[in-house]
């Protein structure tokens, strides 16, 4: 991608009234655009990062047997009335509207009801179980507060997976597998170290659910972390009885602010009972299906990564989800040889499958470097009169600031092996 063609521009100042660090940096660097409070548009750079995060999550969900679908956002009130979740008293975040043809319609804030109902057409016997179904789909939630940038929006994509099992033991096996997949996801996107599996309230069918909380001052939750055991307890369930049950010692726990990046939840038979999702066992006896749900917000995850890994100069993306692998900075100043060298390097890297953003703009070196730091691509490669004379490229890691001079073969080699 040639930066001179990129329609987005960087900006020095964040827009007035944007209080969160993630949105400030993402807007300044041209990743997102704020439509209004709690509503953001993903621009070319932001869309690329979001799709990469989605790719990592999809990969881990497929590994544990997930089957991907894409459900409609429009929701039938009758279905939600059956579980008692249509009324605004029961659920205070609904966006609702009226159909021209008459009647109410809702915009999905979750998908337990329609999926449970749909699965009645496909599950009848124990032979049809277990099944794991997931999607990346837009959720609408009329959130009261929207001050956390892209981490809390009124429209957002969620990966939601739902499990359907015969027995509690089978369900628990998958639940554990999914918890491990979640930890793998957070490792792959670069925030594994800061993210803790956290005991949280479980609702009516289970004492606990498991949240995945990333320690950050920008968080809205308080958790108590046992760093040695790498687990935490959400303040909402923190009490002496719970600590004893979990075998945790108060003296080993530290209170920290954290961002909920994921949440997995035992549902028991809450939805299968209400909507009549049953299976027949080997003797032909009917039982309700045991369910669980498993959510991650890719947008919130992207915001969390910015909050966690950025520095005073800008964003620092891990390679796994960066919009491009290399930021090629051409400092030609009208020198045709330097320009040709940059063009040639762009061609070679692109042909080798490396994603390159090529800053071919007619701008000062200082401006290009400041923009490059702000945008946060993992490796910066400078082509200038100086590098041309040296016969090597100047390569700087965004995360460490470490600079090395490399020949083209060394460069492609190191890109192939970078994690
Ligand atoms: P919170 O407590 O932060 O409001 P929640 O517990 O209501 O979130 P869940 O229903 O558990 O959220 O949703 C699963 C995941 O979806 C969350 O862990 C989070 O990553 C993401 N998510 C939830 N609400 C939002 C939102 N308003 N904007 C962006 N992502 C969200
Ligand atoms: Mg939650």
């Amino acid at each position: 991608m040639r930066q001179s063609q990129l329609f987005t521009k960087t900006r020095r100042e964040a827009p007035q009234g944007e209080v969160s660090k993630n949105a400030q940096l993402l807007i300044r660097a041209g990743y997102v655009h704020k439509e209004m409070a709690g509503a953001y548009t993903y621009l070319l750079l932001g869309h690329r990062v979001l799709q990469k995060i989605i790719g990592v999550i999809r990969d881990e969900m497929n590994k544990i047997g997930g089957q991907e679908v894409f459900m409609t956002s429009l929701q039938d009130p009758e279905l939600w009335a059956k579980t008692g979740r249509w009324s605004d008293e029961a659920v205070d975040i609904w966006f609702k509207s009226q159909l021209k043809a008459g009647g109410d319609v809702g915009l999905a804030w979750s998908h337990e009801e329609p999926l449970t109902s749909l699965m009645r057409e496909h599950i009848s016997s124990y032979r049809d179980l277990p099944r794991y179904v997931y999607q990346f789909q837009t959720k609408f939630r009329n959130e009261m507060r929207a001050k956390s940038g892209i981490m809390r929006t009124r429209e957002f994509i969620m990966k939601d997976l739902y499990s359907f099992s015969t027995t509690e033991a089978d369900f628990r096996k998958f639940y554990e597998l999914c918890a491990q997949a979640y930890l793998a996801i957070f490792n792959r996107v670069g925030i594994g170290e800061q993210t803790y599996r956290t005991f949280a309230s479980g609702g009516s069918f289970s004492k606990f659910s498991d949240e995945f909380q990333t320690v950050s001052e920008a968080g809205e939750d308080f958790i108590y972390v046992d760093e040695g055991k790498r687990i935490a307890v959400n303040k909402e369930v923190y009490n002496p009885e719970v600590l004893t049950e979990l075998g945790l010692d108060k003296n080993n726990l530290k209170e920290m602010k954290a961002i909920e990046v994921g949440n997995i939840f035992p549902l028991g038979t809450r939805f299968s009972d209400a909507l009549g999702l049953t299976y027949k066992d080997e003797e032909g006896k009917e039982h309700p299906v045991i369910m669980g749900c498993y959510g991650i917000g890719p947008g919130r995850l992207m915001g969390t990564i910015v909050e966690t890994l950025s520095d005073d100069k800008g964003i620092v993306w891990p390679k796994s989800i960066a919009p491009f692998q290399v930021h090629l900075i051409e400092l030609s100043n009208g020198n045709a040889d330097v320009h040709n060298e940059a063009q040639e390097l762009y061609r070679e890297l692109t042909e080798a499958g490396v994603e390159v953003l090529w800053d071919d703009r007619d701008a000062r070196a200082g401006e290009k470097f400041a923009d490059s730091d702000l945008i946060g691509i993992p490796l910066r490669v400078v082509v200038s009169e100086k590098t041309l004379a040296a016969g090597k490229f100047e390569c700087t890691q965004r995360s460490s600031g470490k600079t090395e001079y490399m020949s083209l073969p060394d460069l492609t080699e190191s890109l192939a092996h970078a994690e």
Side-chain angles (χ1 to χ4, degrees):
M1 173 91 213
R2 296 175 69 149
Q3 209 168 331
S4 62
Q5 307 299 306
L6 189 62
F7 81 85
T8 55
K9 295 218 168 72
T10 57
R11 47 200 274 186
R12 245 166 258 291
E13 302 290 334
Q16 286 231 321
E18 184 60 81
V19 292
S20 79
K21 179 167 93 171
N22 69 80
Q24 286 179 351
L25 286 171
L26 289 165
I27 291 171
R28 284 183 51 212
Y31 284 84
V32 302
H33 166 79
K34 185 180 191 169
E35 269 318 305
M36 55 183 159
Y40 293 84
T41 290
Y42 286 77
L43 306 172
L44 181 136
L45 294 173
H47 183 59
R48 286 180 76 104
V49 174
L50 193 66
Q51 291 310 314
K52 289 201 173 173
I53 292 173
I54 286 174
V56 169
I57 298 172
R58 175 179 286 129
D59 185 45
E60 294 295 334
M61 292 301 101
N62 288 344
K63 270 195 216 162
I64 58 172
Q67 305 184 28
E68 188 171 356
V69 298
F70 186 74
M71 299 178 73
T72 175
S73 283
L74 299 179
Q75 297 300 307
D76 178 358
E78 260 179 50
L79 197 52
W80 290 77
K82 286 185 188 156
T83 61
R85 298 210 297 177
W86 176 252
S87 82
D88 294 325
E89 289 70 53
V91 174
D92 63 1
I93 48 155
W94 269 116
F95 278 106
K96 293 176 179 173
S97 186
Q98 281 80 46
L99 296 169
K100 262 207 177 124
D104 293 332
V105 66
L107 297 179
W109 55 273
S110 193
H111 277 88
E112 283 83 359
E113 278 79 352
L115 185 61
T116 306
S117 169
L118 177 157
M119 290 307 271
R120 282 184 307 192
E121 293 172 23
H122 303 281
I123 292 172
S124 55
S125 145
Y126 68 94
R127 288 189 210 89
D128 303 324
L129 294 168
R131 292 291 181 265
Y132 314 114
V133 180
Y134 77 99
Q135 61 176 345
F136 292 93
Q137 219 277 358
T138 305
K139 306 290 188 228
F140 295 91
R141 293 187 180 182
N142 203 342
E143 303 268 6
M144 195 56 201
R145 288 178 308 135
K147 290 195 185 124
S148 296
I150 65 165
M151 299 196 300
R152 182 179 297 286
T153 53
R154 300 194 169 102
E155 174 189 344
F156 60 97
I157 293 178
M158 193 198 288
K159 185 285 295 174
D160 43 334
L161 184 145
Y162 304 86
S163 66
F164 302 88
S165 308
T166 50
T167 62
E168 180 67 22
D170 251 26
F171 156 73
R172 275 290 158 191
K173 227 192 284 164
F174 179 77
Y175 188 85
E176 264 320 302
L177 206 60
C178 192
Q180 295 311 316
Y182 270 37
L183 293 175
I185 290 165
F186 301 125
N187 272 326
R188 285 177 64 178
V189 302
I191 54 166
E193 230 173 274
Q194 299 87 342
T195 303
Y196 292 88
R197 186 170 174 180
T198 303
F199 291 92
S201 71
S204 47
F205 269 88
S206 162
K207 185 153 189 194
F208 299 114
S209 75
D210 288 77
E211 291 175 343
F212 293 81
Q213 294 271 5
T214 307
V215 170
S216 166
E217 272 308 304
E220 296 180 4
D221 289 4
F222 285 95
I223 61 170
Y224 294 88
V225 175
D226 186 322
E227 283 174 332
K229 293 187 170 154
R230 288 214 57 84
I231 54 173
V233 182
N234 194 310
K235 194 171 187 169
E236 64 183 18
V237 297
Y238 177 88
N239 63 47
E241 189 193 315
V242 165
L243 293 191
T244 311
E245 185 178 339
L246 300 175
L248 292 171
D249 178 353
K250 192 166 179 260
N251 300 311
N252 295 335
L253 300 178
K254 273 195 213 150
E255 188 186 85
M256 295 183 186
K257 276 178 107 175
I259 303 162
E260 182 202 313
V261 286
N263 195 183
I264 64 177
F265 225 93
L267 297 176
T269 56
R270 157 113 172 72
F271 295 94
S272 42
D273 281 337
L275 299 168
L277 177 64
T278 58
Y279 73 94
K280 286 202 174 72
D281 66 18
E282 286 173 68
E283 276 88 51
K285 207 167 152 249
E286 206 150 274
H287 306 272
V289 172
I290 294 171
M291 293 174 54
C293 67
Y294 311 80
I296 293 188
R300 183 176 291 183
L301 193 48
M302 178 169 158
T304 303
I305 294 161
V306 174
E307 292 285 344
T308 309
L309 303 180
S310 60
D311 61 21
D312 53 358
K313 294 188 202 138
I315 300 168
V316 182
W317 295 116
K319 184 173 181 276
S320 58
I321 57 155
F324 295 91
Q325 304 310 304
V326 168
H327 202 173
L328 168 59
I329 310 287
E330 170 188 335
L331 301 178
S332 55
N333 251 328
N335 181 326
D337 291 340
V338 174
H339 173 73
N340 290 338
E341 177 83 350
Q343 183 162 11
E344 183 57 19
L345 179 59
Y346 178 72
R347 196 183 60 76
E348 302 240 20
L349 288 177
T350 307
E351 273 173 15
V354 179
E355 299 164 304
V356 184
L357 180 64
W358 172 16
D359 191 349
D360 58 340
R361 296 172 305 164
D362 184 16
R364 287 179 304 108
E367 192 182 325
K368 290 192 174 196
F369 289 142
D371 279 354
S372 177
D373 283 337
L374 179 60
I375 291 170
I377 292 168
L379 186 68
R380 174 197 296 169
V381 178
V382 176
V383 179
S384 64
E385 280 176 5
K386 197 173 106 194
T387 69
L388 198 61
K392 285 188 174 182
F393 305 110
E394 185 187 309
C395 306
T396 305
Q397 304 282 345
R398 176 65 181 91
S399 57
S400 65
K402 215 179 95 200
T403 298
E404 263 181 282
Y405 289 83
M406 282 194 259
S407 65
L408 180 61
D410 290 350
L411 178 56
T412 40
E413 173 81 356
S414 84
L415 283 166
H417 290 102
E419 86 300 345

